[in-house]
Amino acid sequence: MDMTAGNRTGMGLFALIMIGIGSIFGSGWLFGAGAAAQVAGPAALVAWVIGAVFIGMIAMCYAEVGSAYPIPGGMARYGHLAHGPVLGFLTGWAVWIATASLIPIESIAATQYMASWSYDWARDLVDPANGHLTASGMGVALLLTFALWLTCYWSVQLLARANTVLTLVKFAIPVIAVAALIASGFHTSNFTAHGGFAPYGWPAVLTAVTTCGVVFAFNGFQAVINLGGAAKNPGRAIPVALVGALSLGLVIYLALQTAFLGAVPPEQLAQGGGWHGVDFSSPFADLAKVLMLHWVVTLLQFGAFISPAGSNIANVASAAYMVQNLAETGFFPRKLATVHPRYGTARPAMWLNLGFSVLLLVTVGHSWHALASVISAAMVISYLIGPIAVGVFRRTRPDLPRPFRLPAAGVLAPLTFAFAACALYWSKWPDTGKVALLTVVAAPVAAVVLRRRGVTGLRRQFAPAWWLVGFLAWMSVLSALGSRDFGGHGVLPGGVDIALVALSAVAFYFWAVRAGVHAHRVGLTGSGPGLEGPAGSGPMLDGRTASPASSVVAPEDSRPTASV
């Protein structure tokens, strides 16, 4: 998609904020509160605060890098900028997997809420015994995936216009739902009965951050980073949009969680033996049915279409940018970066993402919960390069214009990386191992591509990437041996496991920064493609460098940008 300075039209600050809010209020609010309450009880409120703080720290790291390098789909390119082509492919692969996986899960969410309709065919969409989609439910989810994907097929400007309208509509739905649930009868005793505020302990709260859709819900910040390069003034728009979207998101999610916890009838809570027994297939709609709030049920059923649709507008566009960036660096077929001459959309990239979405849906997309925990772990891996890129660029490009600077970066950047490592650990074994393997499998693919391109010195090319391979292998071992609270085999006692994860993560952070500095020193991150200035994103695999026409600097903005 052409997002050069000359083509930055229709993506102002307000539109970018709406993109962020629209992505944050996807299917997460429909399921997150119910799932978190079931796992952590009333202490789920703390999980939302932890999740917001974590994502906020990650987002501020990306705000510095993104405002310095306002590249559409930049999260797939920053690894290349910091460490060269191999790590760029590994991190770009992880970001693409995490982003493209969001497309089918939003359709699954809408389908599960359709099962709350008062029609026999709708109730048959979900198997009540296990909460999984039936064959007909899978068919509906596939149809919705294709329909939502079409939203971005013609125009980037359509994305901004349609998303703004959808966001304004769907923002009102959770607010009205919160007010209605509280007005129906708020039971303060629910916050202390059946085991107290944290009935299942604090490890359950940490688990809820990654397995119950908290990280998944706030992941919408990526849309601001990935689409912020298309803003009229990305240096100002990216950090402002991030702060605005995340702050508003936290307020609404806390309100939703509080309303859900207080609205559950005490007798139903007692009948289920506590919060573990409160299991709703469509949490808010099912709860509204119990409370006889039929108009709220209708409103939520409508919102179950609006919210996923609004989020998928940004998801489809972001995933296409990821494919384009990987194609520009030579690891994906270059034809995937082709942009339609009239509509400005990367249709080959979009078709690839649609195919991946369908494959994911029919193989493992049995329910929203089945996908959310795995996707959340994949998201955490995709965040890792942000704080490391801050550390690398502070040392290698100290004079690069940074409209936003992360305060106390020497402390906050390694602390953020350690936080991300803990969040990955909280994802529980074996999900931690699964997503680590899914990321590392890109390494042999990179080796094959490099050999086919005639690139020599593979040891030199891979040197800046070994820290990521080692980190993921180490995290998998710790997760497998960790406490049973996080799915491990109990070799490492509780408390010791998290301390070991955090301390070792700091060591990996400084290894990664040192590797990036060395990669710059030996020229693995030289100039091009599609960037101008000394801080380019590295040579293309076929030896080409970006042509002058591919590097564009906005008149009001001296930072490098890209046409992809």
Side-chain angles (χ1 to χ4, degrees), residues 332-378:
F332 274 16
R334 208 168 300 280
K335 290 182 179 180
L336 293 176
T338 304
V339 177
H340 193 280
R342 178 180 178 185
Y343 298 111
T345 55
R347 291 187 170 181
M350 293 177 69
W351 279 110
L352 173 65
N353 290 328
L354 179 63
F356 175 76
S357 299
V358 172
L359 177 64
L360 191 65
L361 199 156
V362 299
T363 54
V364 296
H366 307 301
S367 69
W368 187 89
H369 294 89
L371 272 181
S373 59
V374 176
I375 290 177
S376 295

mmCIF file of all heavy atoms in Angstrom, residues 332-378:
data_model
loop_
_atom_site.group_PDB
_atom_site.id
_atom_site.type_symbol
_atom_site.label_atom_id
_atom_site.label_comp_id
_atom_site.label_asym_id
_atom_site.label_seq_id
_atom_site.Cartn_x
_atom_site.Cartn_y
_atom_site.Cartn_z
ATOM 1 N N PHE A 332 9.914 -13.204 1.513
ATOM 2 C CA PHE A 332 8.678 -13.637 0.890
ATOM 3 C C PHE A 332 8.766 -13.311 -0.595
ATOM 4 O O PHE A 332 9.520 -12.408 -0.991
ATOM 5 C CB PHE A 332 7.472 -12.915 1.516
ATOM 6 C CG PHE A 332 6.928 -13.561 2.759
ATOM 7 C CD1 PHE A 332 7.655 -14.516 3.464
ATOM 8 C CD2 PHE A 332 5.671 -13.212 3.244
ATOM 9 C CE1 PHE A 332 7.160 -15.107 4.623
ATOM 10 C CE2 PHE A 332 5.162 -13.789 4.400
ATOM 11 C CZ PHE A 332 5.912 -14.747 5.086
ATOM 12 N N PRO A 333 8.036 -14.024 -1.455
ATOM 13 C CA PRO A 333 8.042 -13.697 -2.887
ATOM 14 C C PRO A 333 7.723 -12.229 -3.127
ATOM 15 O O PRO A 333 6.765 -11.687 -2.552
ATOM 16 C CB PRO A 333 6.950 -14.610 -3.452
ATOM 17 C CG PRO A 333 6.903 -15.766 -2.516
ATOM 18 C CD PRO A 333 7.187 -15.198 -1.158
ATOM 19 N N ARG A 334 8.506 -11.607 -3.988
ATOM 20 C CA ARG A 334 8.363 -10.164 -4.181
ATOM 21 C C ARG A 334 7.019 -9.781 -4.801
ATOM 22 O O ARG A 334 6.558 -8.646 -4.638
ATOM 23 C CB ARG A 334 9.517 -9.645 -5.050
ATOM 24 C CG ARG A 334 9.864 -8.192 -4.779
ATOM 25 C CD ARG A 334 11.170 -7.817 -5.445
ATOM 26 N NE ARG A 334 12.282 -8.614 -4.968
ATOM 27 C CZ ARG A 334 12.914 -8.383 -3.813
ATOM 28 N NH1 ARG A 334 12.513 -7.400 -3.038
ATOM 29 N NH2 ARG A 334 13.935 -9.127 -3.455
ATOM 30 N N LYS A 335 6.380 -10.725 -5.478
ATOM 31 C CA LYS A 335 5.074 -10.435 -6.066
ATOM 32 C C LYS A 335 4.036 -10.096 -4.994
ATOM 33 O O LYS A 335 3.041 -9.424 -5.284
ATOM 34 C CB LYS A 335 4.597 -11.626 -6.896
ATOM 35 C CG LYS A 335 5.377 -11.854 -8.188
ATOM 36 C CD LYS A 335 4.807 -13.023 -8.972
ATOM 37 C CE LYS A 335 5.570 -13.228 -10.275
ATOM 38 N NZ LYS A 335 5.016 -14.369 -11.062
ATOM 39 N N LEU A 336 4.258 -10.582 -3.764
ATOM 40 C CA LEU A 336 3.296 -10.320 -2.693
ATOM 41 C C LEU A 336 3.268 -8.844 -2.292
ATOM 42 O O LEU A 336 2.334 -8.408 -1.629
ATOM 43 C CB LEU A 336 3.626 -11.170 -1.465
ATOM 44 C CG LEU A 336 3.441 -12.681 -1.630
ATOM 45 C CD1 LEU A 336 3.905 -13.414 -0.381
ATOM 46 C CD2 LEU A 336 1.975 -13.008 -1.915
ATOM 47 N N ALA A 337 4.276 -8.088 -2.687
ATOM 48 C CA ALA A 337 4.311 -6.660 -2.360
ATOM 49 C C ALA A 337 3.643 -5.799 -3.421
ATOM 50 O O ALA A 337 3.605 -4.577 -3.293
ATOM 51 C CB ALA A 337 5.750 -6.199 -2.169
ATOM 52 N N THR A 338 3.109 -6.426 -4.471
ATOM 53 C CA THR A 338 2.478 -5.670 -5.551
ATOM 54 C C THR A 338 1.262 -4.905 -5.049
ATOM 55 O O THR A 338 0.409 -5.454 -4.347
ATOM 56 C CB THR A 338 2.044 -6.621 -6.686
ATOM 57 O OG1 THR A 338 3.178 -7.359 -7.131
ATOM 58 C CG2 THR A 338 1.447 -5.840 -7.844
ATOM 59 N N VAL A 339 1.193 -3.639 -5.421
ATOM 60 C CA VAL A 339 0.101 -2.760 -5.003
ATOM 61 C C VAL A 339 -0.807 -2.490 -6.194
ATOM 62 O O VAL A 339 -0.331 -2.228 -7.306
ATOM 63 C CB VAL A 339 0.648 -1.434 -4.435
ATOM 64 C CG1 VAL A 339 -0.496 -0.488 -4.080
ATOM 65 C CG2 VAL A 339 1.507 -1.698 -3.214
ATOM 66 N N HIS A 340 -2.094 -2.561 -5.979
ATOM 67 C CA HIS A 340 -3.053 -2.298 -7.056
ATOM 68 C C HIS A 340 -2.893 -0.846 -7.514
ATOM 69 O O HIS A 340 -2.917 0.089 -6.695
ATOM 70 C CB HIS A 340 -4.479 -2.537 -6.564
ATOM 71 C CG HIS A 340 -5.489 -2.584 -7.671
ATOM 72 N ND1 HIS A 340 -5.994 -1.441 -8.259
ATOM 73 C CD2 HIS A 340 -6.085 -3.631 -8.306
ATOM 74 C CE1 HIS A 340 -6.860 -1.774 -9.195
ATOM 75 N NE2 HIS A 340 -6.940 -3.093 -9.247
ATOM 76 N N PRO A 341 -2.744 -0.602 -8.815
ATOM 77 C CA PRO A 341 -2.455 0.757 -9.297
ATOM 78 C C PRO A 341 -3.576 1.749 -9.052
ATOM 79 O O PRO A 341 -3.330 2.950 -8.977
ATOM 80 C CB PRO A 341 -2.221 0.545 -10.800
ATOM 81 C CG PRO A 341 -2.940 -0.734 -11.133
ATOM 82 C CD PRO A 341 -2.814 -1.587 -9.916
ATOM 83 N N ARG A 342 -4.797 1.271 -8.918
ATOM 84 C CA ARG A 342 -5.921 2.184 -8.736
ATOM 85 C C ARG A 342 -6.323 2.327 -7.274
ATOM 86 O O ARG A 342 -6.510 3.433 -6.783
ATOM 87 C CB ARG A 342 -7.123 1.723 -9.562
ATOM 88 C CG ARG A 342 -8.346 2.608 -9.389
ATOM 89 C CD ARG A 342 -9.514 2.123 -10.235
ATOM 90 N NE ARG A 342 -10.700 2.935 -10.042
ATOM 91 C CZ ARG A 342 -11.887 2.693 -10.585
ATOM 92 N NH1 ARG A 342 -12.026 1.638 -11.405
ATOM 93 N NH2 ARG A 342 -12.917 3.475 -10.363
ATOM 94 N N TYR A 343 -6.437 1.193 -6.573
ATOM 95 C CA TYR A 343 -6.978 1.225 -5.214
ATOM 96 C C TYR A 343 -5.919 1.331 -4.132
ATOM 97 O O TYR A 343 -6.230 1.560 -2.975
ATOM 98 C CB TYR A 343 -7.840 -0.013 -4.963
ATOM 99 C CG TYR A 343 -9.037 -0.089 -5.883
ATOM 100 C CD1 TYR A 343 -9.124 -1.068 -6.870
ATOM 101 C CD2 TYR A 343 -10.077 0.832 -5.773
ATOM 102 C CE1 TYR A 343 -10.207 -1.135 -7.723
ATOM 103 C CE2 TYR A 343 -11.168 0.780 -6.619
ATOM 104 C CZ TYR A 343 -11.231 -0.211 -7.593
ATOM 105 O OH TYR A 343 -12.307 -0.271 -8.433
ATOM 106 N N GLY A 344 -4.646 1.119 -4.476
ATOM 107 C CA GLY A 344 -3.580 1.301 -3.505
ATOM 108 C C GLY A 344 -3.503 0.216 -2.449
ATOM 109 O O GLY A 344 -2.899 0.438 -1.395
ATOM 110 N N THR A 345 -4.102 -0.935 -2.683
ATOM 111 C CA THR A 345 -4.068 -2.022 -1.715
ATOM 112 C C THR A 345 -3.199 -3.164 -2.235
ATOM 113 O O THR A 345 -3.145 -3.421 -3.436
ATOM 114 C CB THR A 345 -5.483 -2.571 -1.427
ATOM 115 O OG1 THR A 345 -6.095 -2.951 -2.671
ATOM 116 C CG2 THR A 345 -6.330 -1.514 -0.744
ATOM 117 N N ALA A 346 -2.532 -3.857 -1.320
ATOM 118 C CA ALA A 346 -1.653 -4.969 -1.689
ATOM 119 C C ALA A 346 -2.487 -6.246 -1.760
ATOM 120 O O ALA A 346 -2.522 -7.036 -0.824
ATOM 121 C CB ALA A 346 -0.529 -5.115 -0.674
ATOM 122 N N ARG A 347 -3.138 -6.452 -2.868
ATOM 123 C CA ARG A 347 -4.078 -7.562 -2.979
ATOM 124 C C ARG A 347 -3.415 -8.942 -2.892
ATOM 125 O O ARG A 347 -3.973 -9.839 -2.265
ATOM 126 C CB ARG A 347 -4.894 -7.415 -4.255
ATOM 127 C CG ARG A 347 -5.842 -6.229 -4.180
ATOM 128 C CD ARG A 347 -6.777 -6.146 -5.360
ATOM 129 N NE ARG A 347 -7.804 -5.138 -5.128
ATOM 130 C CZ ARG A 347 -8.776 -4.850 -5.995
ATOM 131 N NH1 ARG A 347 -8.835 -5.489 -7.146
ATOM 132 N NH2 ARG A 347 -9.668 -3.929 -5.705
ATOM 133 N N PRO A 348 -2.242 -9.173 -3.497
ATOM 134 C CA PRO A 348 -1.613 -10.488 -3.299
ATOM 135 C C PRO A 348 -1.337 -10.797 -1.828
ATOM 136 O O PRO A 348 -1.537 -11.929 -1.375
ATOM 137 C CB PRO A 348 -0.313 -10.381 -4.108
ATOM 138 C CG PRO A 348 -0.604 -9.343 -5.149
ATOM 139 C CD PRO A 348 -1.491 -8.354 -4.469
ATOM 140 N N ALA A 349 -0.873 -9.792 -1.076
ATOM 141 C CA ALA A 349 -0.631 -9.982 0.355
ATOM 142 C C ALA A 349 -1.926 -10.303 1.087
ATOM 143 O O ALA A 349 -1.966 -11.148 1.990
ATOM 144 C CB ALA A 349 0.020 -8.738 0.947
ATOM 145 N N MET A 350 -2.995 -9.636 0.696
ATOM 146 C CA MET A 350 -4.285 -9.871 1.350
ATOM 147 C C MET A 350 -4.805 -11.267 1.064
ATOM 148 O O MET A 350 -5.396 -11.914 1.934
ATOM 149 C CB MET A 350 -5.280 -8.803 0.899
ATOM 150 C CG MET A 350 -4.930 -7.394 1.377
ATOM 151 S SD MET A 350 -6.074 -6.140 0.757
ATOM 152 C CE MET A 350 -7.554 -6.578 1.663
ATOM 153 N N TRP A 351 -4.574 -11.770 -0.153
ATOM 154 C CA TRP A 351 -5.002 -13.131 -0.477
ATOM 155 C C TRP A 351 -4.218 -14.153 0.337
ATOM 156 O O TRP A 351 -4.777 -15.158 0.795
ATOM 157 C CB TRP A 351 -4.828 -13.392 -1.973
ATOM 158 C CG TRP A 351 -5.942 -12.855 -2.816
ATOM 159 C CD1 TRP A 351 -5.891 -11.801 -3.681
ATOM 160 C CD2 TRP A 351 -7.293 -13.342 -2.877
ATOM 161 N NE1 TRP A 351 -7.118 -11.591 -4.270
ATOM 162 C CE2 TRP A 351 -7.995 -12.541 -3.796
ATOM 163 C CE3 TRP A 351 -7.976 -14.373 -2.236
ATOM 164 C CZ2 TRP A 351 -9.339 -12.726 -4.097
ATOM 165 C CZ3 TRP A 351 -9.314 -14.571 -2.528
ATOM 166 C CH2 TRP A 351 -9.981 -13.759 -3.449
ATOM 167 N N LEU A 352 -2.932 -13.914 0.537
ATOM 168 C CA LEU A 352 -2.135 -14.820 1.365
ATOM 169 C C LEU A 352 -2.676 -14.854 2.791
ATOM 170 O O LEU A 352 -2.814 -15.933 3.394
ATOM 171 C CB LEU A 352 -0.671 -14.376 1.371
ATOM 172 C CG LEU A 352 0.250 -15.151 2.332
ATOM 173 C CD1 LEU A 352 0.376 -16.604 1.909
ATOM 174 C CD2 LEU A 352 1.637 -14.495 2.404
ATOM 175 N N ASN A 353 -2.990 -13.692 3.329
ATOM 176 C CA ASN A 353 -3.510 -13.628 4.691
ATOM 177 C C ASN A 353 -4.875 -14.296 4.811
ATOM 178 O O ASN A 353 -5.179 -14.918 5.834
ATOM 179 C CB ASN A 353 -3.597 -12.168 5.151
ATOM 180 C CG ASN A 353 -2.235 -11.558 5.368
ATOM 181 O OD1 ASN A 353 -1.285 -12.236 5.758
ATOM 182 N ND2 ASN A 353 -2.114 -10.267 5.107
ATOM 183 N N LEU A 354 -5.678 -14.170 3.767
ATOM 184 C CA LEU A 354 -6.979 -14.839 3.792
ATOM 185 C C LEU A 354 -6.792 -16.358 3.813
ATOM 186 O O LEU A 354 -7.464 -17.065 4.572
ATOM 187 C CB LEU A 354 -7.809 -14.430 2.579
ATOM 188 C CG LEU A 354 -9.190 -15.098 2.475
ATOM 189 C CD1 LEU A 354 -10.073 -14.705 3.647
ATOM 190 C CD2 LEU A 354 -9.860 -14.743 1.153
ATOM 191 N N GLY A 355 -5.867 -16.853 2.998
ATOM 192 C CA GLY A 355 -5.610 -18.284 2.992
ATOM 193 C C GLY A 355 -5.108 -18.781 4.336
ATOM 194 O O GLY A 355 -5.533 -19.847 4.823
ATOM 195 N N PHE A 356 -4.204 -18.018 4.969
ATOM 196 C CA PHE A 356 -3.705 -18.398 6.290
ATOM 197 C C PHE A 356 -4.827 -18.379 7.327
ATOM 198 O O PHE A 356 -4.905 -19.261 8.192
ATOM 199 C CB PHE A 356 -2.583 -17.446 6.717
ATOM 200 C CG PHE A 356 -2.075 -17.681 8.105
ATOM 201 C CD1 PHE A 356 -1.244 -18.753 8.386
ATOM 202 C CD2 PHE A 356 -2.443 -16.833 9.146
ATOM 203 C CE1 PHE A 356 -0.783 -18.972 9.675
ATOM 204 C CE2 PHE A 356 -1.990 -17.044 10.426
ATOM 205 C CZ PHE A 356 -1.146 -18.119 10.696
ATOM 206 N N SER A 357 -5.704 -17.383 7.234
ATOM 207 C CA SER A 357 -6.822 -17.286 8.175
ATOM 208 C C SER A 357 -7.748 -18.493 8.066
ATOM 209 O O SER A 357 -8.181 -19.056 9.080
ATOM 210 C CB SER A 357 -7.612 -15.998 7.915
ATOM 211 O OG SER A 357 -6.805 -14.859 8.085
ATOM 212 N N VAL A 358 -8.047 -18.881 6.842
ATOM 213 C CA VAL A 358 -8.915 -20.045 6.632
ATOM 214 C C VAL A 358 -8.254 -21.311 7.169
ATOM 215 O O VAL A 358 -8.900 -22.132 7.836
ATOM 216 C CB VAL A 358 -9.256 -20.194 5.137
ATOM 217 C CG1 VAL A 358 -9.985 -21.505 4.879
ATOM 218 C CG2 VAL A 358 -10.109 -19.016 4.670
ATOM 219 N N LEU A 359 -6.957 -21.470 6.907
ATOM 220 C CA LEU A 359 -6.234 -22.645 7.404
ATOM 221 C C LEU A 359 -6.257 -22.701 8.925
ATOM 222 O O LEU A 359 -6.509 -23.759 9.523
ATOM 223 C CB LEU A 359 -4.791 -22.607 6.898
ATOM 224 C CG LEU A 359 -3.874 -23.733 7.391
ATOM 225 C CD1 LEU A 359 -4.366 -25.083 6.877
ATOM 226 C CD2 LEU A 359 -2.432 -23.481 6.959
ATOM 227 N N LEU A 360 -6.016 -21.573 9.561
ATOM 228 C CA LEU A 360 -6.014 -21.527 11.027
ATOM 229 C C LEU A 360 -7.398 -21.819 11.589
ATOM 230 O O LEU A 360 -7.542 -22.530 12.594
ATOM 231 C CB LEU A 360 -5.539 -20.149 11.495
ATOM 232 C CG LEU A 360 -5.224 -19.988 12.984
ATOM 233 C CD1 LEU A 360 -4.042 -20.853 13.375
ATOM 234 C CD2 LEU A 360 -4.922 -18.522 13.306
ATOM 235 N N LEU A 361 -8.410 -21.308 10.920
ATOM 236 C CA LEU A 361 -9.777 -21.485 11.400
ATOM 237 C C LEU A 361 -10.206 -22.951 11.353
ATOM 238 O O LEU A 361 -10.796 -23.468 12.302
ATOM 239 C CB LEU A 361 -10.727 -20.610 10.580
ATOM 240 C CG LEU A 361 -12.100 -20.289 11.185
ATOM 241 C CD1 LEU A 361 -12.654 -19.010 10.574
ATOM 242 C CD2 LEU A 361 -13.085 -21.421 10.948
ATOM 243 N N VAL A 362 -9.897 -23.629 10.259
ATOM 244 C CA VAL A 362 -10.388 -25.000 10.104
ATOM 245 C C VAL A 362 -9.533 -26.014 10.848
ATOM 246 O O VAL A 362 -9.966 -27.148 11.064
ATOM 247 C CB VAL A 362 -10.461 -25.391 8.611
ATOM 248 C CG1 VAL A 362 -11.422 -24.479 7.868
ATOM 249 C CG2 VAL A 362 -9.083 -25.364 7.955
ATOM 250 N N THR A 363 -8.314 -25.633 11.268
ATOM 251 C CA THR A 363 -7.453 -26.585 11.960
ATOM 252 C C THR A 363 -7.512 -26.451 13.470
ATOM 253 O O THR A 363 -7.698 -27.447 14.178
ATOM 254 C CB THR A 363 -5.994 -26.439 11.491
ATOM 255 O OG1 THR A 363 -5.574 -25.069 11.639
ATOM 256 C CG2 THR A 363 -5.847 -26.863 10.037
ATOM 257 N N VAL A 364 -7.350 -25.253 13.992
ATOM 258 C CA VAL A 364 -7.314 -25.074 15.455
ATOM 259 C C VAL A 364 -8.340 -24.068 15.965
ATOM 260 O O VAL A 364 -8.441 -23.867 17.174
ATOM 261 C CB VAL A 364 -5.902 -24.644 15.918
ATOM 262 C CG1 VAL A 364 -4.894 -25.730 15.623
ATOM 263 C CG2 VAL A 364 -5.484 -23.327 15.262
ATOM 264 N N GLY A 365 -9.082 -23.432 15.068
ATOM 265 C CA GLY A 365 -10.023 -22.400 15.499
ATOM 266 C C GLY A 365 -11.355 -22.950 15.963
ATOM 267 O O GLY A 365 -12.409 -22.591 15.433
ATOM 268 N N HIS A 366 -11.331 -23.825 16.953
ATOM 269 C CA HIS A 366 -12.572 -24.444 17.416
ATOM 270 C C HIS A 366 -13.413 -23.503 18.281
ATOM 271 O O HIS A 366 -14.628 -23.658 18.371
ATOM 272 C CB HIS A 366 -12.249 -25.716 18.198
ATOM 273 C CG HIS A 366 -11.374 -26.672 17.452
ATOM 274 N ND1 HIS A 366 -11.739 -27.210 16.230
ATOM 275 C CD2 HIS A 366 -10.148 -27.180 17.731
ATOM 276 C CE1 HIS A 366 -10.784 -28.009 15.802
ATOM 277 N NE2 HIS A 366 -9.797 -28.008 16.695
ATOM 278 N N SER A 367 -12.762 -22.550 18.954
ATOM 279 C CA SER A 367 -13.489 -21.598 19.796
ATOM 280 C C SER A 367 -12.610 -20.384 20.035
ATOM 281 O O SER A 367 -11.397 -20.412 19.774
ATOM 282 C CB SER A 367 -13.861 -22.242 21.136
ATOM 283 O OG SER A 367 -12.705 -22.464 21.929
ATOM 284 N N TRP A 368 -13.223 -19.317 20.553
ATOM 285 C CA TRP A 368 -12.468 -18.107 20.847
ATOM 286 C C TRP A 368 -11.399 -18.392 21.891
ATOM 287 O O TRP A 368 -10.254 -17.958 21.752
ATOM 288 C CB TRP A 368 -13.415 -17.016 21.344
ATOM 289 C CG TRP A 368 -12.765 -15.681 21.525
ATOM 290 C CD1 TRP A 368 -12.639 -14.698 20.594
ATOM 291 C CD2 TRP A 368 -12.142 -15.176 22.719
ATOM 292 N NE1 TRP A 368 -11.985 -13.610 21.125
ATOM 293 C CE2 TRP A 368 -11.676 -13.886 22.425
ATOM 294 C CE3 TRP A 368 -11.945 -15.690 24.002
ATOM 295 C CZ2 TRP A 368 -11.016 -13.101 23.367
ATOM 296 C CZ3 TRP A 368 -11.284 -14.921 24.946
ATOM 297 C CH2 TRP A 368 -10.824 -13.628 24.621
ATOM 298 N N HIS A 369 -11.747 -19.142 22.934
ATOM 299 C CA HIS A 369 -10.793 -19.435 23.990
ATOM 300 C C HIS A 369 -9.636 -20.287 23.494
ATOM 301 O O HIS A 369 -8.498 -20.131 23.941
ATOM 302 C CB HIS A 369 -11.492 -20.127 25.165
ATOM 303 C CG HIS A 369 -12.485 -19.262 25.867
ATOM 304 N ND1 HIS A 369 -13.808 -19.196 25.474
ATOM 305 C CD2 HIS A 369 -12.363 -18.416 26.915
ATOM 306 C CE1 HIS A 369 -14.453 -18.345 26.270
ATOM 307 N NE2 HIS A 369 -13.598 -17.865 27.150
ATOM 308 N N ALA A 370 -9.913 -21.204 22.555
ATOM 309 C CA ALA A 370 -8.859 -22.077 22.042
ATOM 310 C C ALA A 370 -7.785 -21.285 21.319
ATOM 311 O O ALA A 370 -6.593 -21.615 21.392
ATOM 312 C CB ALA A 370 -9.463 -23.126 21.108
ATOM 313 N N LEU A 371 -8.184 -20.239 20.628
ATOM 314 C CA LEU A 371 -7.221 -19.430 19.878
ATOM 315 C C LEU A 371 -6.614 -18.304 20.702
ATOM 316 O O LEU A 371 -5.447 -17.960 20.521
ATOM 317 C CB LEU A 371 -7.883 -18.839 18.631
ATOM 318 C CG LEU A 371 -7.876 -19.681 17.354
ATOM 319 C CD1 LEU A 371 -8.558 -18.929 16.229
ATOM 320 C CD2 LEU A 371 -6.462 -20.054 16.956
ATOM 321 N N ALA A 372 -7.388 -17.711 21.610
ATOM 322 C CA ALA A 372 -6.950 -16.495 22.301
ATOM 323 C C ALA A 372 -5.674 -16.704 23.097
ATOM 324 O O ALA A 372 -4.770 -15.852 23.079
ATOM 325 C CB ALA A 372 -8.062 -15.977 23.213
ATOM 326 N N SER A 373 -5.562 -17.827 23.823
ATOM 327 C CA SER A 373 -4.382 -18.036 24.659
ATOM 328 C C SER A 373 -3.129 -18.224 23.816
ATOM 329 O O SER A 373 -2.057 -17.685 24.138
ATOM 330 C CB SER A 373 -4.591 -19.237 25.580
ATOM 331 O OG SER A 373 -4.834 -20.411 24.828
ATOM 332 N N VAL A 374 -3.245 -18.971 22.723
ATOM 333 C CA VAL A 374 -2.087 -19.196 21.850
ATOM 334 C C VAL A 374 -1.696 -17.910 21.132
ATOM 335 O O VAL A 374 -0.516 -17.562 21.037
ATOM 336 C CB VAL A 374 -2.384 -20.321 20.835
ATOM 337 C CG1 VAL A 374 -1.218 -20.494 19.871
ATOM 338 C CG2 VAL A 374 -2.671 -21.627 21.563
ATOM 339 N N ILE A 375 -2.693 -17.186 20.635
ATOM 340 C CA ILE A 375 -2.412 -15.931 19.930
ATOM 341 C C ILE A 375 -1.762 -14.924 20.875
ATOM 342 O O ILE A 375 -0.842 -14.185 20.490
ATOM 343 C CB ILE A 375 -3.700 -15.356 19.314
ATOM 344 C CG1 ILE A 375 -4.163 -16.240 18.154
ATOM 345 C CG2 ILE A 375 -3.475 -13.930 18.826
ATOM 346 C CD1 ILE A 375 -5.464 -15.795 17.529
ATOM 347 N N SER A 376 -2.220 -14.879 22.128
ATOM 348 C CA SER A 376 -1.639 -13.946 23.094
ATOM 349 C C SER A 376 -0.157 -14.227 23.308
ATOM 350 O O SER A 376 0.661 -13.305 23.397
ATOM 351 C CB SER A 376 -2.383 -14.033 24.426
ATOM 352 O OG SER A 376 -3.717 -13.591 24.289
ATOM 353 N N ALA A 377 0.208 -15.516 23.404
ATOM 354 C CA ALA A 377 1.621 -15.865 23.550
ATOM 355 C C ALA A 377 2.409 -15.452 22.314
ATOM 356 O O ALA A 377 3.537 -14.946 22.418
ATOM 357 C CB ALA A 377 1.762 -17.364 23.802
ATOM 358 N N ALA A 378 1.831 -15.659 21.131
ATOM 359 C CA ALA A 378 2.501 -15.241 19.901
ATOM 360 C C ALA A 378 2.668 -13.724 19.859
ATOM 361 O O ALA A 378 3.686 -13.202 19.379
ATOM 362 C CB ALA A 378 1.708 -15.725 18.688
#
